[in-house]
Amino acid sequence: MSWTKWTRGPLAALAVCALLPFGAAACAPGAAHGDPESSSPVGKVLDGTDETGRNLREVPPKDAPEVSVEVIPDAAGGWDVRLAFRHFRCSAPGARPAAVMGRGVAHLLVDGHRVARLRTPAYHLAAGSVPHGTHRITARLYADDGTVWAVRGKPVESTADITVSDAERAAPRPPAAAGT
């Protein structure tokens, strides 16, 4: 047996073992081309920020995430907030802190102040949590890396105005007896 035949097998095996970790890394989840979990950049991070100081992540209008907000008074004096999404879904807790097109969280703001970070399309504002007067309720969409989804330089958000009166803040009264 020649020296070449004897060393070729072990050297080839050694080369395969040395390169195997690189091949596994290339095939790791999210590394494949076109995978929505890809680490490739999504949109363009702009220099501009929202009022909370988070950078805007510009995406094209076609298939951009959208949100609408509806605020409904409940019988106990609070408010039920319902969000509707298009081209967006909330990420699970513990999601990787990376921008993935159409995924992330919604922040609920009352008069520009964040009151909740939502991973579901429903939230309840308790009675008394919003003071007397007219207030702006905003739902804004964020990527999991903390950037704000934006279209044409503006955050992807929806607002609704509510007016809290003294009657809505008061405790509910029992119904009046019939015939009195």
Side-chain angles (χ1 to χ4, degrees):
M1 177 159 118
S2 73
W3 182 83
T4 309
K5 289 182 181 177
W6 182 81
T7 57
R8 191 177 322 164
L11 286 177
L14 183 60
V16 168
C17 289
L19 296 175
L20 187 59
F22 297 109
C27 297
H33 179 70
D35 187 337
E37 296 284 337
S38 174
S39 61
S40 64
V42 175
K44 178 183 177 189
V45 177
L46 304 177
D47 290 332
T49 64
D50 69 356
E51 71 274 5
T52 67
R54 296 185 184 234
N55 285 91
L56 302 178
R57 180 175 294 278
E58 180 78 23
V59 293
K62 183 182 186 279
D63 299 328
E66 296 176 27
V67 62
S68 64
V69 62
E70 180 181 29
V71 184
I72 305 162
D74 73 6
W79 302 86
D80 290 327
V81 179
R82 292 190 181 24
L83 306 180
F85 302 116
R86 185 165 185 240
H87 304 297
F88 184 83
R89 66 180 182 176
C90 293
S91 298
R96 195 171 60 129
V100 175
M101 187 62 185
R103 291 182 66 195
V105 297
H107 287 193
L108 188 66
L109 302 106
V110 176
D111 297 330
H113 301 284
R114 186 174 84 176
V115 296
R117 186 175 185 214
L118 305 177
R119 294 186 182 276
T120 63
Y123 185 77
H124 181 77
L125 285 169
S129 65
V130 182
H132 177 79
T134 300
H135 302 278
R136 177 154 286 197
I137 309 297
T138 303
R140 183 175 299 149
L141 301 182
Y142 289 77
D144 288 319
D145 67 351
T147 56
V148 184
W149 290 114
V151 174
R152 295 185 181 104
K154 301 210 185 279
V156 174
E157 64 184 28
S158 178
T159 62
D161 290 335
I162 61 170
T163 301
V164 179
S165 67
D166 288 333
E168 289 166 324
R169 292 176 44 147
R173 298 180 191 166
T180 58

